[in-house]
Amino acid sequence: MNLIILTPGFAADENDTTCIPGLQDLVQAYKRLYPEMHLHIIALHYPFRVGEYLWNGIPVYAAGGQNSKARKLRTWWRVLSRIRALHSREPNTVLHSFWLSESTLLGQIASRLYGIPHLATIMGQDAKSDNRYLPLIGALQSASLRVFALSEFAARVYTQSTGRVVQGIIPFGVVPHGIAPALSREKVNELAKTRNIDILGVGSVIPLKNYTTFLELIAAAKQHKSSVRAVILGGFVDTAEVERLRSAIARLHLEENVVLAGEVPRSEVFSMMAQSTVLLHTSEYEGQGWVLLEALQYGASVVCFDVGYTMAHPQMYVCQSRKDMELALREVLDENSVQHQRLQYDSTPVPMPSIDDTARAYFQHYDLHTDCTDRNR
C-alpha cells in the first residue's frame, strides 16, 4: 500500500518534536506496525523551504507554501504534481489529509483527477462554519472522500456547520510507555513521588487556550493554598498574548506562583506531567486536545471544559463553567495534600487509547478503500 499524507506542516527534522506531535506519533506507529507500507508525507507550508528530506527514514516533501497567498498556486501545483508522480509509481495509493483546509481540498482534487481513495481528519477549528474551505470541499465531495473526527465534540460541530456526518471517530491515542518520546513506567513512578507542581498548563500561548482564565483560577486556588505552584508549557506564538499574561500575573500577584516556561521538548512535557497534581486545560475549543489523555497517562488529574476528547473517569473533571473548575481544582489539591501527609502517592497510569490503536483503526479504512479500488479495476 502507498499512503500519502497531506498536512499543512510537518517536523523539519528529528529534533522538531513540537510540530503537530500527534501526527508525528501516528507516522511512527505506521512505521512500527506496518513496515511494508510505502509512506510519503507532503507538507504544504512548513518547513519553510522546498525540497525532499528524510524524517526517521520516512520521505517528506516540503512544498514551500510558507503560509503565503502569493505562493499559493505554485504550492498547489507542486503538491498535485507530487501526488501524481507518487501514484504513477505505486498505483495502490490512499490519500489521507489532515485539517479540512487546503490539504483536504487538494487531496480531493487529486482524488477526482487520478481516481485515488481519500480520507480526511478534522483536527480542530476546521470543523467550524467560518472555515472557508468547507464549502469548496463539499462541492468536490464524492464517495471517494471519507471524513473522520478526533472526538464526538468535533463531529457535532462539523454536522452543525455542514449538515454532513463523519464516517467515524478515531482519536489520537498516546504513545505507549517506553517508546520514544514516552517515558518508561519506572521513570513515571519515580517522578510521581515528588508531585512538586500543583497545576500544569500545556499548549501554545495563543488566545484560544484562554490562559487568562487559567491565571484567574490560580489566583482563586492561591486563596485556598498560598504556596500553590503552577507552570505553563507552550511556545510563545502570540507575543501580544504573552505580554497580556505577564501583565495578568503581576496584577493578580502571582509572580511567586506561576512560571511561563515556554516551549520544551515533549519528553520534558511528559516528565512535568508525571510531577504534576493536575493538568488545567482552559481552552475554549479543541478538536481533541490529546494533552488531556497524555496527562492521565502520566498520573495527573485533568480539569477541563467540555471540549475535545473527554471520558468518564474519576481523574477527569469535565466542567461547564469557571466556577466548576474552581471547585474541581480545590477538590484535587485537597486530595493530593492528604496523600502527601499519608506518604501515599498514586502513580498508577490510567489506561488510555494507544496511538497504535489509532494506526490500526485507520489502516482498516485504508485497506477497505484499496480493496474496493482493486475490485473496480
Side-chain angles (χ1 to χ4, degrees):
M1 182 185 299
N2 183 35
L3 176 63
I4 302 174
I5 289 177
L6 301 175
T7 173
F10 195 73
D13 53 43
E14 285 84 353
N15 296 319
D16 186 358
T17 63
T18 58
C19 178
I20 319 177
L23 186 54
Q24 293 188 39
D25 296 343
L26 181 61
V27 170
Q28 290 280 43
Y30 285 142
K31 181 182 177 183
R32 189 168 60 248
L33 297 174
Y34 306 108
E36 72 285 358
M37 177 189 286
H38 295 168
L39 183 59
H40 302 270
I41 299 167
I42 299 177
L44 275 66
H45 295 289
Y46 177 85
F48 295 148
R49 62 178 186 265
V50 179
E52 302 177 59
Y53 62 99
L54 290 178
W55 178 84
N56 290 301
I58 297 165
V60 182
Y61 176 70
Q66 300 186 27
N67 298 309
S68 168
K69 291 182 179 179
R71 297 171 180 265
K72 190 177 293 290
L73 290 180
R74 182 174 294 183
T75 301
W76 288 16
W77 180 83
R78 286 175 180 150
V79 170
L80 293 172
S81 298
R82 179 54 58 119
I83 294 171
R84 182 181 59 194
L86 292 172
H87 180 52
S88 65
R89 292 204 303 262
E90 301 174 87
N92 194 23
T93 297
V94 175
L95 292 169
H96 191 165
S97 56
F98 291 84
W99 277 274
L100 302 187
S101 57
E102 284 179 89
S103 50
T104 296
L105 179 64
L106 292 176
Q108 191 55 16
I109 291 172
S111 175
R112 304 272 309 244
L113 286 175
Y114 313 132
I116 306 173
H118 181 204
L119 287 77
T121 295
I122 300 166
M123 294 288 281
Q125 297 191 77
D126 45 324
K128 297 171 72 174
S129 58
D130 58 0
N131 175 5
R132 67 182 185 276
Y133 286 100
L134 283 181
L136 297 173
I137 294 166
L140 290 171
Q141 193 154 353
S142 63
S144 68
L145 176 62
R146 296 169 63 82
V147 177
F148 293 83
L150 301 177
S151 66
E152 293 277 1
F153 172 78
R156 287 196 305 271
V157 174
Y158 175 73
T159 299
Q160 291 166 2
S161 301
T162 66
R164 297 186 291 273
V165 296
V166 298
Q167 275 67 53
I169 295 169
I170 303 177
F172 276 13
V174 296
V175 180
H177 287 292
I179 296 176
L183 308 181
S184 68
R185 291 185 185 276
E186 293 74 18
K187 182 65 173 177
V188 174
N189 290 338
E190 178 186 341
L191 292 170
K193 293 177 182 178
T194 61
R195 294 278 186 227
N196 55 7
I197 301 171
D198 294 303
I199 301 172
L200 183 68
V202 178
S204 299
V205 180
I206 54 177
L208 178 70
K209 299 303 180 183
N210 196 19
Y211 280 127
T212 301
T213 295
F214 182 100
L215 294 176
E216 290 169 349
L217 287 163
I218 301 303
K222 183 178 179 179
Q223 296 179 6
H224 184 63
K225 181 183 178 180
S226 60
S227 62
V228 65
R229 180 174 183 236
V231 177
I232 294 176
L233 304 178
F236 295 164
V237 175
D238 187 320
T239 54
E241 184 69 6
V242 173
E243 289 307 310
R244 278 192 287 271
L245 294 189
R246 287 177 173 152
S247 296
I249 288 171
R251 173 172 52 82
L252 296 168
H253 307 292
L254 297 176
E255 294 91 341
E256 302 299 319
N257 305 95
V258 177
V259 174
L260 296 179
E263 184 175 287
V264 301
R266 284 187 78 202
S267 57
E268 188 172 339
V269 174
F270 295 154
S271 294
M272 297 185 80
M273 285 178 172
Q275 297 172 73
S276 298
T277 299
V278 58
L279 176 86
L280 174 60
H281 199 67
T282 50
S283 181
E284 298 172 338
Y285 185 101
E286 292 287 353
Q288 175 178 339
W290 54 84
V291 293
L292 307 180
L293 300 187
E294 290 172 338
L296 289 173
Q297 182 190 28
Y298 287 99
S301 295
V302 169
V303 174
C304 63
F305 286 125
D306 189 11
V307 297
Y309 184 87
T310 58
M311 57 193 296
H313 190 279
Q315 283 178 238
M316 177 169 268
Y317 298 76
V318 181
C319 303
Q320 302 301 320
S321 67
R322 178 183 145 177
K323 187 63 177 178
D324 288 346
M325 282 190 163
E326 188 176 325
L327 295 174
L329 283 175
R330 179 172 297 194
E331 179 180 334
V332 175
L333 293 176
D334 283 348
E335 176 61 26
N336 184 69
S337 177
V338 170
Q339 288 182 359
H340 270 282
Q341 290 173 9
R342 296 175 179 172
L343 298 180
Q344 296 174 345
Y345 307 99
D346 182 12
S347 59
T348 305
V350 177
M352 288 289 111
S354 164
I355 195 65
D356 292 358
D357 299 330
T358 308
R360 292 187 186 100
Y362 275 128
F363 188 84
Q364 290 181 351
H365 290 282
Y366 300 155
D367 207 31
L368 173 64
H369 262 314
T370 53
D371 284 348
C372 292
T373 302
D374 290 341
R375 286 197 297 270
N376 290 333
R377 282 183 180 143

